[in-house]
Every structure is written in structure tokens, then in C-alpha cells.
Amino acid sequence: MPPLELPSVEWSQMAPELILIVGALALLMAGTFRREKSMVSGACIFTIATAVAALVASAGLWHDVAGGRGGARLVMADALVIDGFGIFFTVVICCAVILGALLAHGYLKQERLEAPTFFVLMLLSASGGLLMAKANDLIVVFLGLEILSIALYVLAGYHQRREQSREAAIKYFVLGSFSSAFFLYGVALTYGATGSTNLGAISEFLRSQTVTQGVLLGGFGMLLVGLGFKVAAVPFHMWTPDVYQGSPTPVTGFMAAAAKAAGFAALLRIFFSAFGNQRLDWQPIVWALAVLSLLVGSVLAVVQTDVKRMLAYSSISHAGYVLIGLQAASTRGIAGSLFYLLAYTFLILGSFGIVGLVARKGDNLTGLDAYRGLARSRPGLAFAFTVFLLAQAGVPFTSGFLAKFYVISAAVESHSYAIAVIAMMAAVVAAFFYLRLIVVMYMADDQEMAGLGPTAGAPMPAPLNVASVDGGGVGTAVASAMMATKVEIPFAAGLAIGACAVFTILAGLYPQPFLDFARHAAILLL
Amino acid sequence: MSETLPILTLLVVLPAVGAAVVACMPSDNERLIRIVGMSFAVIVALLSIVMLADFKAGQGDFQFLSDHVWVRDFGISWKLGVDGISLFLVVLSGVLFPIAIIGPKVHHDVKGYVAWMLLLEAGCIGVFLSLDLFLFFLFWELVLVPMYFLIGGWGYDRRIYATLKFFLYTMVGSALMLVGILAVVFLHRQATGTLTFDVVTLAKEQSLASSTARWLFMAFAASFAIKVPIFPVHTWLPDAHTEAPTGGSVILAGIMLKLGTYGFLRFGLYLFPQAAVDLAPVFLTLGTIGIIYGAVVATMQKDLKRLVAYSSVAHLGFIVLGVFGLSQQGMEGGVLQMVNHGVSTGALFLLVGMIYERRHTRQIAELGGIQRVAPVFAGVFMVVMLSSIGLPGLNGFVGEFLVLIGTFVTHRWWAVVATIGVILAALYLLWAYQRVFHGRAEGANAAFPEMTMRERAIMAPLVILIVFLGVYPRPVLDRIAPAVHDLVSHVEAHSDYRQPAVAAGEAR
């Protein structure tokens, strides 16, 4: 028997992923040996240190890639690619880990949940996200997708005592498995059409091919379904509101940021890079997905009375904006998508961080009601939320404005005027519900709420079977009693929210370094 | 002084810094907040007057230019400049903001009020000074936020409805304009190879096909028309003006409505001359409808503040007429009328606010006979009102007269119809004055307090301006005329339009 030829393994090139995985395993071991209360802070700090180490390792790689020493390269038998694009997402996902861990710290203490496992799952899912961003092979994308998702399924149901949390986990798991199956089917069809799962080989094959086969189109479609589910693009968004609402709030923030980033990393790389030659085939589909996400996301957000659900719908419309960048299929478009995701990560984590704090003990107060008068009781928190909401609405001198500007400029540059106008109109609709939340925080007295359409005063629809907003174990009387208590701001969560707010304003005032980063990452897409 | 001092950047940045400083102060010391906020506003006012003094009359191009690269990838720069068209609007902002900050009584959360006002000032001045499309759009959008909070936080009963309506209306326009801006820039790059947001470059190198230009002009015009507001997209205005706190109404009417007409001049006509010429009859018609409609509806109002708000629709119609009349005189009149309307209507809103402070009502039917008990108040109201009507000798006359003359030469019948608006203005304002001030004061009206010294001090600069601009507008027109001349020649050079020789005579 001839000796089995093993591919060479470039360990140093995979440093960020390895650091996260090793960190996760170490934390898991530590967690089994020690079970004290103090573990929350220790585990949180360890997680952050791990993510920072991964960031440092990425900085080294970025230096290599951008600084000319070899540039972008393929490693691990061409299964992974080390390029600016992948490193960009490494940075985004690691930032999400750091911020998510800070937000989770207070939450885990307050809800008395076991700490180490939570952070282990977070690190593992992040490593899956990293793999997705750097995969050069559809099978590796799938591996990353599963590592990311399985950890997230567990995280969604992490608060076992809350019915909503368990329900969210089941929903996410069932629908997520379906979408993974779609993705795999797409991989199979693509393999059938092109003879390879390697993105480079696929791209090579498609370059020599002028006629598009039905099988390949089927493959495109299936891959798009699978990844569209992860990024919560309409019409694959059905799970989003329920899962976002039911999951523990820090998990929601992390999920909204990291899973979306990873999903888009794979989506952008597969379609722009590997299927770039066939863009005329997929551009109309992406166009439709983008428009649907924009409209459905912002219109349905308007009728929500639960802030978590509202942010879930708004994150759907954000996915639409990122898709605009892909639809443009230009370097500017990809750079726009990247910058959008960077800005979005901080916005959404900050927003959900605040939602988590306002929800108070039990994680139940997420109705608009709970925000009434927040500006008086917690002016700092209200101000930070205002910054995030205005940025999401696209108000100037915030990162959110530049992000929208970037993707829309890419659309206009490629003469997609219709989608640019639709996107701006969706932004106007979206502005309505962001503003409504600001009104509740700053201006609302009881009688004025009447003029605001569906507000906290109106009866709640029951979005989950078992749970209305006040549901779970907390009765209405208890809820209103809790609403009277002042929102507590744990140090770690305050730090995370502050960092998000500072980034949002800083990137709005002095965007050059971040724009450069996104542009370089887009250029260095192999 | 101005050679070394970046005076325009200071004009934009100082109020923003002031807003930040005020926001960081402890909110219980209201006196200190007022003093700090006021000193920032006054410094800005003084700076704007320094700029006015240093401004070289007789030049049509941009002065005090300040140009720094901001975002390299997009060719975006921090480019500010002032010419005869924007000069007086900047000075007007400088003068009106301190009055709006200190003038009306603020009953709660002084800190928030002052901070938002200062930020609003930064935004407004930024719009008037920006010569970079991106920068312009930033300020244009920025203006919305403070005004949204001012109406929503300090306004009257239906303030939430009004403020949302205001924000959403304006944002719809901005949405279209942003796409328009990007299209202009990228089409320009396609034609010339350079990516720039610089207005001057874009205007000089007219690179758009005529049908494209028309679409883009309409995208810009949608935004400007809502802001002006031009009939039929004016419906946010009465609500916003009526529900806004007095200071907010003063700024809304005095400054923010001018953003739209200014936008037409600086960006509409400048960037798309041919399209503007082609579509001028549409806007002339809408402007004329606005004049008549605003006047008729104002006549019907029972609420004094709403009456003033609708009178703004009518007055802004004259400015639109001046702009799209496309003649030297008309446009000069339009620019002058922007300033006049800012002073007169700002003053009217202040006076209505004072009435409300005293009587807690703005219903005309509940007022009466105030002239007997408060003669000075009535006298000031009378002067301001007459200036709004356009009585010769006061500022309103000069502007409206020039607009009508200029439009008559180029678009006769529109001017003829619009003149009816002047008569109607006299009708609704005099009738309102009669009902509020004449007759016998009964009940609470008999105890109507006379103007205090503080209120007199606030009104004095505005009344002086009203008379000065009415009697001797020449120094102002001398500075407006060259810029207008350049703009009209720019339009003529890039379109098939030629203004009749008689209209070219400068109004001196």
C-alpha cells in the first residue's frame, strides 16, 4: 500500500482559529474542575483574552497579507485561504465575542446561569464563523457553518428555566437544520455541475464555461437558501423574530452580529469570488432578496410592540442593505458590505446590550412600555440607545450613515437606481420605528402614547405560543412593579455599550481608517 | 484677520462645540447653562458679522474658501465657501439663533433646549456654507435631529404627531436626494474620470445628458420642495410650526424654510441649469398656487400661530417665484426676501409666543382689545405685521417688489396672479390684527401685560432690521447682485435660456 500523502498543515496561518478553539477547550476543562461563583468573571476575562489573542494573531496575518510578504495565500491543501477579506471577518467576529462576553457577564450573574459553558460555546461558534470566512472549499464552509450553528442552537436555549428560551432553541435548531440540508444539497449540485467543491477550481471551471446549466443554477439557489437563512434575508427570515426574542438577550446580540457576519462572509466569498463569472445569473435573485429584506424588514418592524422583535426585523432590513453591496458585484460594493457589517456589529451589540439591561432580572421587560421615561432615570443609557437608533436610521455623523451611503453609492455606481431608491425609502420607514422608541424614552407621557399607532398600551400579540411579553413566570403586576425599579448597569455591560457608542460616533466622524480597512479587505479578496 | 482664521469652519464648528459643552454641564444650574449657551451663540453671531464686514462686495465667486480632504476614497472634502447668496443667510442664522435661545421662556430642561439649539445652528450654517455635496447632505440631514427633539420635547399638545410628520416628510425628500447626489457624482466620474463631490467642479463640467439631468434635478427638487415647502407637499409645515415651541418656530420659519429655497439656487439651478429652465414653469405655477392657497387658508385660521404658519407658505411662494423667474432682479429679490421673511416671520412667531405666554391661548376669538392695554406691544406687532404684508418702507416690500418685477418681465402671467397674493396678505393679517388688538379689552384681555424690557430688547434688533432693510437695502443688494449675476449667466451659458435684456438690469 502506498503511503498516504498528507497535506502540509500551516499551523501558524490558522492561529486565530486555533487560539479560539484551544481557549474554548481549556475553559471547558477548567469548568469541569472548578465550579465556584467566581467563575463568571474569570471565564469572561479569559474569553476576552482569548479573543484579543486571536485579534493579535490576525494583526500579524494582516501585516503579512497586506504588507506584501506573500500576499493572500492558500493553505491546508487549498482548503483555507488567508486573505484580507477573511481577516476582516476575523476582526469583526472577535469584536463580537469581546462585546458579547462583556454583555453576558452581568446577565449570567443576574440569572444565576453556569458561566464557563456559555463562554465555551461562544468561542466555539466564533471559531466556526472564522472558518466560514476563510474557507476556500464548500465542504469547509459547511463545517464552519455547523460549528457555528450548533453552538448557537445551544446558546439560544441556554436559559433553560425560561420557556421562551427553550422554544427559541428548538425553532432555531429545526429550521437551521433544514437550511443546512439545503446548503449541502447546493454543494452537491454545484459539485455535480462543476466537478469540484473547491472555490478556486469552481471559479476556474466557470471561466471556461459559457453556458449555464440548470444543475448549476439549482446549486446557486440552494446555496443561497442555506446562507440566506443564516443572514436572515427574506424570505428565509421566518425564524428570526422568534429566535431573537426568545434567546437570552446577550446571545441575541452575539447571534445577530457573529452569525450574520459569518453568513455574509461565506455568501460574499462564494458568490462574488467563485461564481463571479456567472453574476448575471445570480444578480437578479440577490436583487430580489435585497429588496424583499429591505421592505419586509422595515415594514414589519413598524408594527412590533416588542423591542427585541423590532430589532430582529430591523436586522432583517440591515441584511437587505448588505445584500445591496453584493448585488452591485463590484469591489466598491463588497467594501460597502464589509463596512456595513463592521458598523452593524457594534450597533446591534450595543442595542441588544441596552435591551438586555432594560429587560431587568428575568429578561422579560422588552415591551415599549419598559422604555418610558428612560431618559429621566438613566440619561446615559438613553443617550447611548439614541445614538444606536439614530445610526441605524442612517443619521449623519454616525457609522450607520456612512455604511448606508457606501452600499447605496455602490448600487448607484452600477446603475441600480431602483434598488437605491427602494433602500432609501425603506430607511424612511425604518426611521419611523427608531424614532418611536426615542419618543418613548424622551417625550412620552401617558396620553401622548395614544397617537402613536400600535404602542405599548395596545394589547400584545402573542408571537410565541406560550409567551407574551409579560409571560413566562412573571405576572403583569410583577412586571409593572419591576418596571418601577431603576435599570441597573453592570460595569462590564456599561463598558461594552460605551465602546459601541464611541465606535459608532468615531466611525461617523473620522471614518478613513475603517473605510481603508474595508476597502483593502475587499481588494484582497482572493 | 480672515486670512489666517478659518472663519467659516469656526462658524460651523463653534456651535457644535457649544452644544457638546452645554450637554456636559450639570443640568441643575440653568442660569449658567443659559450664559454659556448664549455666549457661544453670540460669538458665532459676532463672527458672522465679522465675516460680513470682511466680505468683498462686487465679487460673485466664493470667498473665505476652506478646503480639506476628508474621505479620500470618495473624493469627499470639507469644503466651505460663502458668496452673496449664502452670505446674508449665514448672518441671519447668526443673529436669529441667540434670539431664539434667549428670547422665549423655556419651562423645563433648559440644558437640552440650549444644546439642541446650538447643534441646530451648526447644521443650518453648515448647509449654507457647504460646497461639497456630501458635506451638504450631512448637514441637511443633521438639521432634522435637533429640530425633531425640539418640537417633540418642548412643543405643544400634538407635538409628537407633528415632529414625526416633520421628520418623515423631510426624510423622504432626502432619500431621493441622496440617490440623486450619488448619481450626479458617479455619472460625472463616468464622463470625466474624476470622483468628486465638489459642487463647483460638478457645475462647471456639465457632463449629464439632458434627460438624465432632468431626472436628477427632480430628485433634488423633491427634497427642496418638501423643505421649502412648495404646494402640495406643504402639509407638514402648519403642524410643525404650530406645535413647535416658540424658539423652534422662529428657527423653522426664519432659517429652515430657507434651506429649501437656498438648495434650489445653489444646487438646483447651479448643477442642472437646463433642467431647471425646462421645469421652471412647473415650479412657477406651484409657487403661485402656494401664494394664493396659503393666503386663502391663512384667512380662515382661528389660531394665530397657524395663521402665521400658512402665511409662510404664501411668502415662500414669492421666493420660489423669484428663484424660478430666472431674472437678475427676481432672483435678487428672492434672496433678499429669504432674509426678510426670516426676520419678519421670526419676529411674528416671537410675538405670538409672547401672547401665548400671557394668555395661554392663541385663539383669535379669545383675544381682543389688546391695543388699549398694551400699546407698545401692539405697535411692535403692527410694524412686524406691516413688514410681512409688504408695506413700502419696510423690508417686505423691497423683496416682493423685486420678485414681482423680475418675474413679470420673464413670466408675465404668473406675476400677475401672484400680485393678488400681496392683497390677500394684507387681508388676512390686517383682519387678524383688527380682531386681536382693536375693540374693547374684556376679561383676561384687560389684564394683558405690556412688553417687558427684556422683550423689548429681544424685539429691538429685529425691528431695526425691518426698517433698515426697507429704507436702505442697497448695501445688501450690492453684495447679493454679483453672485446672482454669476448664477444667471451660468444658467444662460449651459442652457438655451436667455433672460430679456430689460431683466438683466441690476436692481440698484
Side-chain angles (χ1 to χ4, degrees):
Chain A
M1 203 171 101
L4 198 61
E5 200 184 324
L6 291 171
S8 65
V9 177
E10 292 88 345
W11 297 106
S12 66
Q13 303 294 324
M14 294 185 60
E17 292 82 357
L18 290 176
I19 289 171
L20 291 184
I21 293 172
V22 170
L25 293 179
L27 193 56
L28 190 64
M29 297 306 286
T32 47
F33 289 121
R34 298 184 45 159
R35 294 182 148 272
E36 292 111 64
K37 278 275 168 61
S38 62
M39 281 301 284
V40 181
S41 303
C44 178
I45 292 170
F46 183 80
T47 308
I48 292 169
T50 311
V52 170
L55 276 179
V56 172
S58 304
L61 289 177
W62 175 266
H63 184 73
D64 289 358
V65 171
R69 267 203 289 153
R73 70 202 78 166
L74 299 171
V75 295
M76 302 281 279
D78 297 356
L80 284 185
V81 53
I82 307 299
D83 61 0
F85 181 84
I87 296 169
F88 183 89
F89 278 101
T90 308
V91 172
V92 170
I93 293 173
C94 286
C95 288
V97 169
I98 294 171
L99 295 168
L102 285 172
L103 293 177
H105 178 255
Y107 184 85
L108 294 172
K109 271 194 164 166
Q110 168 196 308
E111 303 293 323
R112 295 173 196 284
L113 295 171
E114 205 175 328
T117 335
F118 185 94
F119 292 111
V120 169
L121 290 167
M122 206 171 207
L123 286 171
L124 281 179
S125 79
S127 73
L130 261 53
L131 268 187
M132 280 173 85
K134 293 181 181 170
N136 192 39
D137 194 299
L138 290 174
I139 296 295
V140 180
V141 175
F142 181 71
L143 275 181
L145 185 71
E146 285 301 281
I147 297 175
L148 170 87
S149 307
I150 290 174
L152 282 179
Y153 301 149
V154 184
L155 279 176
Y158 202 78
H159 200 323
Q160 301 109 321
R161 296 191 302 277
R162 287 186 76 221
E163 229 164 323
Q164 299 101 307
S165 183
R166 277 175 282 160
E167 185 179 337
I170 295 285
K171 271 191 182 155
Y172 194 24
F173 172 66
V174 173
L175 290 172
S177 314
F178 262 117
S179 82
S180 297
F182 269 106
F183 184 83
L184 260 192
Y185 201 24
V187 174
L189 288 180
T190 311
Y191 178 74
T194 62
S196 174
T197 57
N198 187 288
L199 293 184
I202 293 174
S203 163
E204 203 57 41
F205 177 84
L206 293 180
R207 212 165 289 153
S208 58
Q209 172 103 351
T210 48
V211 188
T212 312
Q213 315 159 4
V215 180
L216 185 64
L217 282 181
F220 284 179
M222 298 289 181
L223 291 175
L224 209 51
V225 173
L227 293 171
F229 176 88
K230 272 285 156 263
V231 302
V234 178
F236 316 115
H237 68 289
M238 298 299 180
W239 59 280
T240 318
D242 288 353
V243 173
Y244 276 26
Q245 189 189 10
S247 303
T249 312
V251 175
T252 312
F254 177 70
M255 186 171 13
K260 194 160 284 203
F264 268 115
L267 195 63
L268 295 174
R269 190 190 289 282
I270 292 174
F271 279 85
F272 183 67
S273 176
F275 300 160
N277 255 38
Q278 309 287 28
R279 66 184 54 163
L280 292 181
D281 290 328
W282 54 258
Q283 255 174 330
I285 310 177
V286 174
W287 191 94
L289 285 185
V291 168
L292 281 174
S293 304
L294 288 167
L295 295 180
V296 172
S298 43
V299 170
L300 287 188
V302 170
V303 296
Q304 302 304 320
T305 53
D306 182 281
V307 175
K308 250 170 139 178
R309 277 181 95 77
M310 192 198 87
L311 286 175
Y313 279 107
S314 99
S315 91
I316 291 172
S317 81
H318 286 307
Y321 286 101
V322 183
L323 284 172
I324 294 177
L326 174 60
Q327 190 270 339
S330 61
T331 307
R332 189 187 297 279
I334 299 300
S337 293
L338 294 186
F339 184 75
Y340 201 102
L341 282 167
L342 180 67
Y344 164 82
T345 299
F346 285 87
L347 284 179
I348 206 76
L349 273 159
S351 304
F352 276 118
I354 291 171
V355 172
L357 294 186
V358 175
R360 302 188 181 81
K361 193 164 167 51
D363 204 7
N364 280 321
L365 297 179
T366 50
L368 267 177
D369 250 344
Y371 293 81
R372 188 171 300 170
L374 192 66
R376 249 167 288 141
S377 60
R378 283 289 182 192
L381 210 57
F383 176 75
F385 208 12
T386 307
V387 169
F388 298 137
L389 291 171
L390 289 180
Q392 292 192 59
V395 166
F397 298 108
T398 62
S399 61
F401 173 76
L402 275 167
K404 285 205 169 59
F405 176 80
Y406 211 146
V407 288
I408 288 172
S409 74
V412 170
E413 191 187 25
S414 60
H415 301 288
S416 313
Y417 298 114
I419 203 172
V421 172
I422 293 170
M424 290 310 293
M425 286 304 146
V428 177
V429 176
F432 175 76
F433 58 79
Y434 296 128
L435 291 179
R436 197 177 62 188
L437 199 46
I438 297 175
V439 165
V440 173
M441 289 195 296
Y442 279 88
M443 307 164 190
D445 305 333
D446 290 320
Q447 89 273 5
E448 281 144 14
M449 299 288 291
L452 283 174
T455 56
M460 294 284 172
L464 302 175
N465 298 331
V466 286
S468 77
V469 174
D470 301 329
V474 189
T476 317
V478 185
S480 51
M482 287 193 66
M483 234 180 267
T485 61
K486 204 170 174 182
V487 176
E488 278 175 40
I489 307 178
F491 172 73
L495 188 68
I497 292 167
C500 290
V502 168
F503 176 85
T504 301
I505 295 174
L506 181 72
L509 289 176
Y510 185 62
Q512 194 63 54
F514 308 107
L515 291 173
D516 281 345
F517 188 29
R519 194 167 46 90
H520 276 118
I523 291 169
L524 295 170
L525 173 61
L526 201 66
Chain B
M1 180 180 180
S2 61
E3 268 73 29
T4 50
L5 193 70
I7 191 162
L8 300 187
T9 305
L10 274 180
L11 277 171
V12 177
V13 173
L14 259 187
V17 171
V21 169
V22 169
C24 294
M25 287 166 60
S27 52
D28 43 357
N29 194 346
E30 296 190 348
R31 205 182 141 72
L32 187 67
I33 288 171
R34 278 214 179 83
I35 292 171
V36 171
M38 198 56 195
S39 22
F40 271 99
V42 168
I43 292 173
V44 171
L46 292 178
L47 268 180
S48 72
I49 289 166
V50 168
M51 176 192 76
L52 176 64
D54 277 5
F55 188 87
K56 292 179 193 67
Q59 287 187 12
D61 49 354
F62 294 104
Q63 306 188 18
F64 307 109
L65 274 177
S66 140
D67 193 354
H68 306 279
V69 175
W70 189 19
V71 183
R72 235 177 305 115
D73 299 2
F74 283 94
I76 293 168
S77 50
W78 177 269
K79 186 172 181 188
L80 304 175
V82 64
D83 69 351
I85 294 173
S86 51
L87 175 68
F88 290 99
L89 294 170
V90 175
V91 178
L92 179 70
S93 310
V95 174
L96 266 190
F97 268 99
I99 293 178
I101 289 173
I102 204 76
K105 290 204 182 77
V106 182
H107 296 290
H108 67 276
D109 194 9
V110 174
K111 174 172 131 175
Y113 181 85
V114 174
W116 286 126
M117 270 289 177
L118 285 170
L119 191 62
L120 185 61
E121 177 166 23
C124 287
I125 296 184
V127 170
F128 291 134
L129 292 178
S130 300
L131 292 181
D132 181 282
L133 275 177
F134 181 83
L135 197 59
F136 161 71
F137 187 79
L138 281 184
F139 287 122
W140 180 268
E141 288 278 280
L142 180 68
V143 165
L144 286 183
V145 181
M147 193 38 102
Y148 166 78
F149 279 100
L150 282 170
I151 301 177
W154 289 267
Y156 297 103
D157 299 342
R158 293 171 67 235
R159 58 178 189 265
I160 308 267
Y161 168 77
T163 197
L164 276 176
K165 193 172 176 181
F166 159 76
F167 198 104
L168 294 177
Y169 258 71
T170 322
M171 209 170 160
V172 169
S174 318
L176 291 172
M177 184 166 69
L178 179 64
V179 178
I181 287 178
L182 286 167
V184 169
V185 168
F186 282 111
L187 289 173
H188 173 259
R189 188 187 66 169
Q190 216 171 29
T192 64
T194 45
L195 183 62
T196 176
F197 280 76
D198 180 11
V199 179
V200 181
T201 318
L202 290 171
K204 294 248 163 75
E205 303 170 2
Q206 292 280 327
S207 55
L208 299 168
S210 65
S211 64
T212 321
R214 203 170 300 171
W215 280 107
L216 294 177
F217 175 76
M218 292 208 275
F220 277 72
S223 186
F224 298 146
I226 291 175
K227 201 82 163 190
V228 169
I230 293 178
F231 179 89
V233 285
H234 65 282
T235 56
W236 65 268
L237 178 136
D239 287 316
H241 275 57
T242 313
E243 302 306 326
T246 302
S249 306
V250 171
I251 298 303
L252 256 179
I255 313 288
M256 286 180 67
L257 300 189
K258 312 307 170 315
L259 298 179
T261 43
Y262 172 78
F264 271 120
L265 283 171
R266 171 71 72 239
F267 302 97
L269 300 191
Y270 197 41
L271 290 177
F272 316 102
Q274 179 66 56
V277 169
D278 293 344
L279 289 168
V282 175
F283 286 95
L284 286 168
T285 310
L286 291 177
T288 314
I289 294 177
I291 294 173
I292 305 296
Y293 170 86
V296 170
V297 179
T299 318
M300 308 296 164
Q301 294 307 314
K302 298 192 175 83
D303 181 320
L304 200 53
K305 204 170 179 190
R306 236 180 148 74
L307 185 148
V308 180
Y310 273 106
S311 83
S312 281
V313 177
H315 283 116
L316 266 295
F318 279 105
I319 301 177
V320 172
L321 216 59
V323 169
F324 283 96
L326 296 172
S327 64
Q328 174 76 28
Q329 288 165 339
M331 223 178 271
E332 278 178 39
V335 176
L336 182 62
Q337 192 62 10
M338 287 193 219
V339 181
N340 291 338
H341 177 262
V343 176
S344 311
T345 311
L348 268 180
F349 273 121
L350 279 173
L351 289 166
V352 172
M354 290 172 194
I355 293 180
Y356 185 83
E357 281 295 320
R358 289 164 160 80
R359 292 280 290 103
H360 297 286
T361 181
R362 297 181 306 247
Q363 296 298 315
I364 297 173
E366 294 177 24
L367 301 164
I370 292 173
Q371 196 168 22
R372 294 257 174 89
V373 280
V376 177
F377 192 97
V380 173
F381 198 98
M382 166 92 98
V383 172
V384 172
M385 178 199 69
L386 289 176
S387 107
S388 188
I389 292 173
L391 187 80
L394 298 177
N395 62 350
F397 173 75
V398 187
E400 279 183 12
F401 184 69
L402 283 173
V403 166
L404 289 174
I405 279 195
T407 314
F408 187 82
V409 174
T410 55
H411 301 85
R412 174 169 305 173
W413 291 106
W414 282 278
V416 169
V417 178
T419 313
I420 300 170
V422 182
I423 301 162
L424 288 174
L427 175 72
Y428 61 78
L429 280 170
L430 285 177
W431 193 32
Y433 183 84
Q434 193 183 352
R435 284 179 289 169
V436 172
F437 289 94
H438 288 179
R440 284 172 53 129
E442 282 164 356
N445 291 329
F448 195 90
E450 180 56 290
M451 246 184 184
T452 60
M453 285 315 288
R454 176 162 167 279
E455 287 168 340
R456 287 179 205 198
I458 291 162
M459 296 308 296
L462 295 176
V463 172
I464 292 171
L465 270 177
I466 285 173
V467 177
F468 176 78
L469 288 174
V471 176
Y472 190 55
R474 167 124 188 217
V476 177
L477 287 173
D478 275 350
R479 285 166 176 77
I480 295 175
V484 168
H485 177 82
D486 282 12
L487 182 56
V488 175
S489 344
H490 174 81
V491 172
E492 287 181 335
H494 294 103
S495 72
D496 51 14
Y497 172 80
R498 298 289 173 270
Q499 67 171 333
V502 61
E506 290 178 9
R508 293 188 182 204

